[in-house]
Amino acid sequence: MPELPEVEVTRLSLAPHLMGAQIQHLRLGKPLRWPLGTAPERLCDLQVLALRRRGKYLLLDLNQGLLLVHLGMSGSLRFFATTPPPAGAHDHADLQTDLGTLRLHDPRRFGALVYAPQGERDPIAQKLLGHLGLEPLETAFTPRALHAGLQQKKSAIKQVLLAGAVVVGVGNIYASEALFLAKIRPTTRANRISLARATRLHAAIQSVLRQALAAGGSTLRDFRNAQGESGYFIQHAAVYGRAGLPCRDCGTPIRQLLQGQRSSFFCPHCQHV
DNA sequence: CACGGATCCTGATGGC
DNA sequence: TGCCATCAGGATCCGT
């Protein structure tokens, strides 16, 4: 469900509610991808100082340590200013604060809630964040930097984008969309992409992510922001989920293929090598 | 050590 | 209607 835009939309809608909140209780449901890494009681009385994002991770800076939240494939966060409704079968964490309750809903449980007592330099934070590539909407992400990163990778560009070691936050939907905009085939080896084409891809990634952000995140299935509202970007997808349908630019049927167990979509006419 | 594949889990969907 | 196979927005881990 969540790629960078969805996580960022979540962060933006959550920040005003969580800023300065004091944790009173943490209730955990079924296990998530990783254990919390501490006893839930240890978080009591800690205060939320800031809400940041790194790739698809949400980072809650506490006055002692850092709480990392990942939404996996099916996760979403909601904030309840008053008493939340009873937890459902897939509500696996309730972070109760003096300002309200942050609830993590995640049917597939690929998501995670992890406490790093020593903040970003904590080993667990290093393990999860240390290898991440550039933030696509920050100034360090330039056409040259993208090109340089791609030069190091021999795999297909689609898989390099998904891996997050060069640039973070681009998931399965936006990878296909960005490659279509840049007119690059998903199967092209990353190190065979010229500076000119990397420059197009750079612009395409930013354009696709910014559009999705402005639209409030995609809504392929059930993405909701912290207020429970859904976005609508996916209805404008150029290629994602459109196998067999005519390309919006040239009419050629969109093709679907499998790369690393993930579907890719592309127009065989508009996207060369 | 870089790469590709298997893997975690539940729900929705479509074919028979 | 029921049963089964397939697929879904992620990312780590493990074997080669």
Side-chain angles (χ1 to χ4, degrees), chain A residues 103-119:
Chain A
R103 171 168 289 178
L104 174 62
H105 175 87
D106 186 5
R108 293 178 72 182
R109 292 191 281 128
F110 290 170
L113 182 66
V114 174
Y115 181 57
Q118 309 178 63

Side-chain angles (χ1 to χ4, degrees), chain A residues 2-11 53 56-58 71:
Chain A
E3 301 187 27
L4 182 147
E6 290 75 26
V7 178
E8 182 64 9
V9 163
T10 299
R11 186 186 73 81
R53 179 189 56 72
K56 295 168 192 163
Y57 285 90
L58 270 177
L71 300 178

Side-chain angles (χ1 to χ4, degrees), chain A residues 185-244:
Chain A
R185 287 223 184 183
T187 47
T188 303
R189 311 267 142 195
N191 61 356
R192 308 266 309 271
I193 292 177
S194 67
L195 177 59
R197 307 181 86 219
T199 302
R200 284 210 309 264
L201 182 55
H202 170 270
I205 289 170
Q206 291 200 329
S207 163
V208 160
L209 294 180
R210 287 207 178 105
Q211 265 193 60
L213 258 174
S218 72
T219 181
L220 179 66
R221 287 207 160 72
D222 54 1
F223 176 70
R224 299 287 145 94
N225 67 13
Q227 278 79 44
E229 304 157 337
S230 63
Y232 56 88
F233 170 80
I234 196 61
Q235 295 160 22
H236 309 311
V239 289
Y240 184 84
R242 299 193 67 243

Side-chain angles (χ1 to χ4, degrees), chain A residues 155-171:
Chain A
S155 325
I157 180 62
K158 164 75 172 355
Q159 299 191 249
V160 170
L161 290 179
L162 284 190
V166 175
V167 56
V168 296
V170 184

